[in-house]
Amino acid sequence: QEMFTLGEMVTATQSCPDELLELLGEHLNYTVKVVSPEEEDKKLLAQFGIDLEENEGEQESRPPVVTVMGHVDHGKTKLLDAIRHTNIVDGEAGGITQHIGAYQVHVEHAGTDRAVTFIDTPGHEAFTAMRARGANVTDIVVLVVAANDGVMPQTIEALNHAKAAGAPVVVAVNKTDLPEANPDKVRQQLTEYGLVAEEYGGETMFVNVAAKPRIGIDNLLEAIILTNDAALDLKAPVKGNAQGVAIEAHLDRGRGPVASVLVQKGTLRVGDSIVAGGAHGRVRAMLDESGNRIKEATPSRPVQVQGLTAVPSAGDVFLAADDDRTVRQIAEQRQARRRAAQQAARAGRTTLENFMDK
Ligand code: GTP
Ligand code: MG
């Protein structure tokens, strides 16, 4: 009824936007504060003395996290295959990379060994989740555009993600081995979207590649390193409890819940107590992208973690804490909150009382 006087036609069971609730509260002389799940979680972690934003400790350089994006079939995975083959000493990485979706390679640049972390995104739900949370895992975006196909809808979508994340873009013009390839047309098309190639007087690096016959791969890696060195000064604390993002997770028949995580701060070690979303546990084993067991992982390192009690969701923040009890309590409280939210959703409406903060 009160809603009606505010000029809104709503029924008692209809859910309504947060702003409207706040307005209604004002009208009724209540202070209505709509608390986002993120804020609630922040409060929960604060109870345990954890602040995700905190960035204390000695900052050290970390490798860039490079996300490969682009229109379907333009060759993202093939490009990553080419890069991996070129750089992983022991050649073919086992089944792990397919699950992990992220892996680190080493590039030789100016006589030094440089690590670069790549994330493959095709239809990757994890990626959407990460974006939605605004988790800034991406430092650089490699936009793959097939030279025979040109700029397509998902090319633009990918570009918008890159812009939203504030990440510099390196364009990989792929499939240049095909007779119908027109790499210059790709450059021309992308100027319309604000990506002007260096050779056209702009600031964006475009690199012609052909992933299948593995042409131009080194040039692309060089462009990534140059972009990193020119535009970014990536640092993270290496000491302290690890923190990062779950990129992907699944239930493995033999190993139980397995999560691919990207460490963003601190060092993750075997034996650490961790929580990711509503899942918690102790790191029983960590595998790198080649399936090798590793004991610790520092910032920008993607690893597969075993030992969680449940499968976290892609995009969930993970963190290590000092003891099992802390991570269990955080996980339990999150689970309880999730159940409550689900119940409310099942009831078909969100009661106004939930939002009242008298
Ligand atoms: P989604 O993950 O589905 O978005 O696709 P993608 O972008 O990962 O493409 P993918 O790497 O699977 O390649 C799609 C097809 O293009 C495959 O058949 C590749 O072999 C082929 N392909 C990729 N790169 C090249 C290239 O440089 N030249 C030629 N001729 N074919 C390529
Ligand atoms: Mg793919």
Side-chain angles (χ1 to χ4, degrees), residues 227-242:
T227 300
N228 175 69
D229 294 356
L232 308 167
D233 183 24
L234 303 171
K235 290 198 155 85
V238 174
K239 285 181 189 152
N241 286 333

Side-chain angles (χ1 to χ4, degrees), residues 48-286:
F48 295 93
I50 297 166
D51 176 6
L52 294 179
E53 253 90 88
E54 193 180 271
N55 212 14
E56 282 170 5
E58 199 184 329
Q59 306 281 314
E60 292 181 41
S61 290
R62 64 168 179 84
V65 177
V66 178
T67 303
V68 181
M69 304 178 80
H71 196 75
V72 71
D73 263 2
H74 278 199
K76 298 176 290 295
T77 305
K78 197 79 181 166
L79 191 59
L80 289 171
D81 277 346
I83 290 169
R84 205 167 61 190
H85 196 128
T86 323
N87 291 283
I88 291 183
V89 188
D90 292 323
E92 201 53 56
I96 308 296
T97 34
Q98 292 156 27
H99 294 301
I100 202 165
Y103 44 89
Q104 208 166 64
V105 300
H106 289 266
V107 180
E108 164 126 352
H109 176 79
T112 54
D113 174 82
R114 304 283 297 265
V116 179
T117 298
F118 284 98
I119 295 179
D120 194 5
T121 66
H124 216 299
E125 214 181 305
F127 197 68
T128 317
M130 279 190 280
R131 282 280 174 239
R133 280 163 185 268
N136 202 13
V137 295
T138 307
D139 299 309
I140 297 172
V141 167
V142 166
L143 184 64
V144 179
V145 189
N148 58 333
D149 220 11
V151 170
M152 298 296 275
Q154 278 164 257
T155 314
I156 303 310
E157 202 188 295
L159 189 52
N160 288 333
H161 282 309
K163 278 183 188 162
V169 175
V170 174
V171 183
V173 184
N174 193 30
K175 305 200 186 185
T176 52
D177 57 309
L178 295 174
E180 66 271 31
N182 191 347
D184 287 333
K185 191 176 165 203
V186 173
R187 284 169 174 73
Q188 217 176 61
Q189 287 178 322
L190 282 175
T191 54
E192 276 179 50
Y193 299 93
L195 287 188
V196 183
E198 282 182 332
E199 54 268 45
Y200 289 2
E203 291 183 342
T204 306
M205 284 204 234
F206 281 66
V207 185
N208 289 350
V209 296
K212 206 171 173 184
R214 300 177 62 219
I215 295 166
I217 304 302
D218 287 343
N219 293 342
L220 178 64
L221 293 173
E222 181 79 9
I224 291 167
I225 299 283
L226 290 175
T227 300
N228 175 69
D229 294 356
L232 308 167
D233 183 24
L234 303 171
K235 290 198 155 85
V238 174
K239 285 181 189 152
N241 286 333
Q243 190 183 308
V245 172
I247 293 165
E248 188 263 2
H250 65 276
L251 191 64
D252 183 277
R253 233 188 261 168
R255 299 181 296 164
V258 174
S260 301
V261 304
L262 178 71
V263 177
Q264 293 176 303
K265 288 183 206 169
T267 300
L268 184 64
R269 295 188 173 84
V270 171
D272 280 354
S273 302
I274 63 167
V275 53
H280 68 99
R282 218 181 243 207
V283 180
R284 196 168 60 226
M286 278 199 294

